[in-house]
Amino acid sequence: MQETEADTRANRIDPVLRDAGWGIADGSRVAREEIAKGRITTAGRINPLKADYVLSLNGRKLAVIEAKRAGLGYTEGLAQAKAYAQRLKTRFAYATNGLRWYGVDMATGAEGDLDLPFPSPQALWDRCFTEHNDWRERFGNVPFQTGGGKWQPRYYQHNAITAALEAIAQGRSRMLLTLATGTGKTGIAFQIAWTLFQASWNLSGEPTRRPRILFLADRNFLADQAFNAFSAFPADALCRISPDEIRKQGKLPKNASVFFTIFQTFMTEGKTDAEREFTFEGYPPDFFDFIIIDECHRGGARDESQWRAILEHFSPAVQLGLTATPKRDANVDTYGYFGEPLYSYSLKDGINDGYLTPFKVRQMASTLDTYSYSGEDEVLAGDIDYDLLYTEADFNTKIVIDEREKSRVAQFMAEIDQRQKTLVFCATQAHAARVRDYINQIKTNPSPDYCVRVTADDGAAGETFLRRFQDNEKTLPTILTTSQKLSTGVDALNVRNIVLMRPIRSMIEFKQIIGRGTRVFDGKYFFTVYDFVKAHEHFKDPEWDGEPEPPELPEPRPEPYPDAPVPAPVDGVDGVDEEGEPYDGGEDDPPEKIVVKLADGKARNIRYLATTSYWSHDGTPITAQQFMEQLFGDLQGLIDSEEQLRDIWSDPDQRTAFIERLAEMDYDQDRLDDMRRLIDAPDSDIFDVLAYIRFTLAPRARSERAERARDTGLSGYEAEMRGFLDYILHAYEQHGVNELASERIPAFLRIRYGGTRDAKQKLGSADDIRSAFFDIQNHLFSA
């Protein structure tokens, strides 16, 4: 009997590792590790990654081993081992078939045959770390706080935590972690803080006391979210610093280990020494040992920012910045202050690994994307500029045309599944209210809470609606309209649609908004961005294609909406109020808007040209046309002739297997449906899409195919069977090729005849029924 890989591992490799002390020596661990779950597709996850062996000591991953069965070459798994080592940041990679071994030093590039015995845990540790460091070993002795096994670090989270702790052990004082929205930055911050706390690390360099740690955010809900995430700490170790609590106590709190606050609380203007005691200046510069700055890209490191004053006041502290955005012109100051990231994990990485949900962008261009006044329209309020071309930046801030907004709402409501959770980003709070009303006027759901507004002015009621929206067990509210408030921090896992009805101020904001949809949820294979404002044109980003290039020196930052009134920054923080909540722009901003009513008939003539961009597996957004060209290339390797495609499509079992194969290649049902629209054949079959792309065959409507099958395929059957097959053809016309799958036969028999027994009495044997079901499909897809 041929030896399997499992045999090789159990009988040849495991004993070698045990003899070397792996899994036996204190602090050593041997694990089979899931690296990536695999990218999400409608056919399931594809390309999951698991390492056969990951060798760790004192919490640090040192080596990866890829095993193959004894009958294969011993370097057969070498490429995998190297790839896994790169992801896991291990120093060594090994490949073996249990008979011979091969090793690679990923740091020096040295590689070659490895003679047994295999290196011991201490031997590998000494090769990885040539210089002894007490803090590295103390940190390694602190296990992750997993909540009883409920949380296990993903490989990139482990990498980020390890990179930060190693930098702290080496004495670095400024550091940065860049991880895409939705990848668990708060959890990473918690584990770092937990390790420092348990190891009694502090600025003195001696483990004589617990550290004092500050978590600094710019929004109250982010500080509250972090406070809740740190609940494993002893209750008396945590302190939420708030203005109310300071006033109540008459002093700044100092009797805790981990403090949480927002910048605005610390930046209250102090004119006298007594008043300054209640700002950040009330703490000695060396009070905090470690400071975590959440969402640090939002301006905190700018030289002119008052946030910078806080960071400089606490300059003795080790400071860790967390951000979701790679280095760009808009945030180059952040990178200048903290330095290059210790570790980065991009949106592309998260989607390809299956930890974030892919997306597509529907670009909704219309015939009323700009407006110039014509004499037949009615000006209801304000002074119209007869010579001005009003652009997207002007709509709903300077000029209001209700018919235009109603048209946009009607367009996306017709395209989305109205049962799916949706976020709509509007220009102002007043605009968000109007869009909410338009949605509720045409919705199919009867609930009055189907669509609600959540903005700064909605206060506690808005927060209640937001919590319900975030609850995956609740279906209402289904749609939220907002302005600025929900662009960050909304951890609603099941958001399926994001609608952009206002200009996006920066690429950073665009990425934050995209992050509202990337959370993974069961049955969620992608989400869709409906882009009415051409945001896709402004955010072409090298990150899509790989590592970003260093940015040019930043130019003066543009205003959010050109020529529109913009609120002055509050205490040096753009776009948030004194409570740390996003500024939404009120109804009186600007004082008077121009209101125009379109002439009769003009609203009905608004037309939309929608195109779609898709997420490509290499991280590049591609257009539908590029997607079709890519499909053409892949089909050449799958189908040799038109006859082969017809044979596959005429056989339900072959067709199902082929559709599954396409889905594994990222050509899922939804994308192929989009292709039908692209070739102007929305009522055709997927067969017609493939035949058109591969062989330039003219597509046919499903009704045309069904009628032809009736003419050519029913004459040889008795009346009862003809009626049954005609019933199936009607189902195909209405619902598509999925109705022709083999597993649908019992359902058809049950619906039409009440069950299989009665059906057999009228139609014949099971073989007769199945044969007729298959035969009619030959007529559907014949030449």
Side-chain angles (χ1 to χ4, degrees), residues 295-312:
E295 304 289 2
C296 65
H297 59 270
R298 287 206 279 258
R302 293 201 309 272
D303 287 337
E304 71 275 15
S305 172
Q306 291 189 35
W307 295 11
R308 181 67 169 263
I310 297 174
L311 301 182
E312 290 181 344

Side-chain angles (χ1 to χ4, degrees), residues 11 50 89 93 178 218 304 358 379 564 618 663:
N11 300 324
K50 282 191 176 181
K89 303 298 181 184
T178 302
D218 72 337
E304 71 275 15
V379 180
D618 66 357

Side-chain angles (χ1 to χ4, degrees), residues 568-596:
V570 179
D571 292 330
V573 186
D574 293 341
V576 297
D577 64 20
E578 66 276 4
E579 296 297 327
E581 296 303 329
Y583 179 87
D584 275 308
E587 294 194 23
D588 295 329
D589 179 26
E592 183 180 22
K593 294 186 180 72
I594 303 161
V595 180
V596 172

Side-chain angles (χ1 to χ4, degrees), residues 203-395:
L203 287 177
S204 74
E206 299 295 332
T208 54
R209 65 171 175 84
R210 305 282 198 187
R212 288 187 290 268
I213 299 170
L214 174 65
F215 189 99
L216 198 55
D218 72 337
R219 309 283 168 87
N220 272 317
F221 63 83
L222 292 176
D224 292 339
Q225 177 179 285
F227 183 86
N228 294 330
F230 280 57
S231 60
F233 279 87
D236 61 358
L238 303 179
C239 175
R240 177 69 166 90
I241 306 173
S242 67
D244 288 344
E245 191 63 25
I246 294 172
R247 286 190 289 268
K248 179 180 176 181
Q249 298 293 331
K251 60 182 179 180
L252 289 168
K254 297 181 179 179
N255 190 23
S257 292
V258 188
F259 301 78
F260 303 82
T261 194
I262 61 173
F263 288 98
Q264 292 81 355
T265 297
F266 269 3
M267 292 192 302
T268 304
E269 185 178 1
K271 296 182 174 61
T272 67
D273 290 342
E275 289 174 338
R276 281 193 289 271
E277 283 297 311
F278 298 101
T279 70
F280 65 88
E281 293 176 281
Y283 289 104
D286 61 354
F287 182 80
F288 295 110
D289 300 281
F290 186 64
I291 301 178
I292 301 166
I293 303 95
D294 192 28
E295 304 289 2
C296 65
H297 59 270
R298 287 206 279 258
R302 293 201 309 272
D303 287 337
E304 71 275 15
S305 172
Q306 291 189 35
W307 295 11
R308 181 67 169 263
I310 297 174
L311 301 182
E312 290 181 344
H313 177 76
F314 296 118
S315 59
V318 174
Q319 298 177 10
L320 169 66
L322 302 176
T323 183
T325 58
K327 185 196 291 185
R328 298 294 181 268
D329 290 355
N331 65 348
V332 68
D333 49 346
T334 298
Y335 282 74
Y337 181 81
F338 290 103
E340 291 302 309
L342 299 174
Y343 184 73
S344 295
Y345 189 74
S346 70
L347 179 69
K348 176 184 72 173
D349 297 330
I351 289 177
N352 287 338
D353 284 344
Y355 294 118
L356 297 175
T357 303
F359 64 94
K360 63 179 182 178
V361 179
R362 291 279 286 166
Q363 299 144 21
M364 311 296 287
S366 83
T367 53
L368 195 56
D369 285 347
T370 59
Y371 174 78
S372 57
Y373 178 71
S374 58
E376 68 268 24
D377 298 332
E378 182 180 357
V379 180
L380 302 179
D383 296 321
I384 194 85
D385 187 330
Y386 294 88
D387 300 320
L388 180 65
L389 179 68
Y390 292 93
T391 65
E392 192 64 54
D394 302 314
F395 288 111

Side-chain angles (χ1 to χ4, degrees), residues 470-484:
Q470 291 174 300
D471 187 338
N472 299 309
E473 300 299 319
K474 291 183 170 61
T475 59
L476 294 171
T478 306
I479 300 181
L480 301 187
T481 67
T482 189
S483 177
Q484 303 286 340

